[in-house]
Amino acid sequence: ILNVEQSPQSLHVQEGDSTNFTCSFPSSNFYALHWYRWETAKSPEALFVMTLNGDEKKKGRISATLNTKEGYSYLYIKGSQPEDSATYLCALYTGTASKLTFGTGTRLQVTL
Amino acid sequence: SAVISQKPSRDICQRGTSLTIQCQVDSQVTMMFWYRQQPGQSLTLIATANQGSEATYESGFVIDKFPISRPNLTFSTLTVSNMSPEDSSIYLCSVEAGPSSYNEQFFGPGTRLTVL
């Protein structure tokens, strides 16, 4: 059973703060890592798919890095806004049987 | 991209009853996936539904409890049978973004189920 862990479980920041959270996974099973944003009552939305060690991807104020050798990825949000409030999920793809293994997510709340 | 709708968006059901969740995609897709997220838990794959064949269930999930239909390339249903409070979850359907997407998924908005 693959173990994908995310920390922290929840985070509460003020508008304008920058923040980051972690996704850890078994490095021996790596093929690709996904990040999703899931706002309440909406569909989870894909943010990034990362495949190469040292990958860094950016979308607006959100960026992510990947270290496949040590088995972790960081998601960064610069200058958090209330609309960033959501649960951020990472998911490991091991290249077998088209299955994603998700972490439990980091719930971010940004207040004014 | 794919646009996915689910019905119902939420429901409150009594123990022992069954609920069928519908998933509609705006384009034809080979595989559709059904997930659930129990409170405090990870999003977990229940089964993969291919059109024209029986669904493939993940370990811990069985057809008698979660029967799936896949009558065509744009539609699928998941039934949660003989419900108990432990079935209270968010249920999502999804499709793969594309053959070279490393299994990136487009998700529906989910069905929030509460079993009393």
Side-chain angles (χ1 to χ4, degrees), chain B residues 40-86:
Chain B
Q41 303 295 312
S42 309
L43 202 54
T44 302
L45 182 64
I46 298 171
T48 302
N50 289 325
Q51 196 269 334
S53 63
E54 284 209 1
T56 303
Y57 288 83
E58 296 298 309
S59 176
F61 297 97
V62 295
I63 188 170
D64 289 347
K65 176 67 177 176
F66 297 103
I68 287 172
S69 79
R70 184 79 203 275
N72 58 53
L73 290 172
T74 63
F75 186 79
S76 179
T77 67
L78 171 79
T79 298
V80 187
S81 303
N82 188 24
M83 288 184 283
S84 68
E86 293 69 39

Side-chain angles (χ1 to χ4, degrees), chain A residues 34 36 38 43 49 98-99, chain B residues 37 58 102-103 105 107-109:
Chain A
H34 298 251
Y36 289 86
W38 191 3
S43 306
V49 180
S98 296
K99 178 180 172 179
Chain B
Q37 187 187 44
E58 296 298 309
Y102 303 98
N103 203 25
Q105 303 280 305
F107 286 93

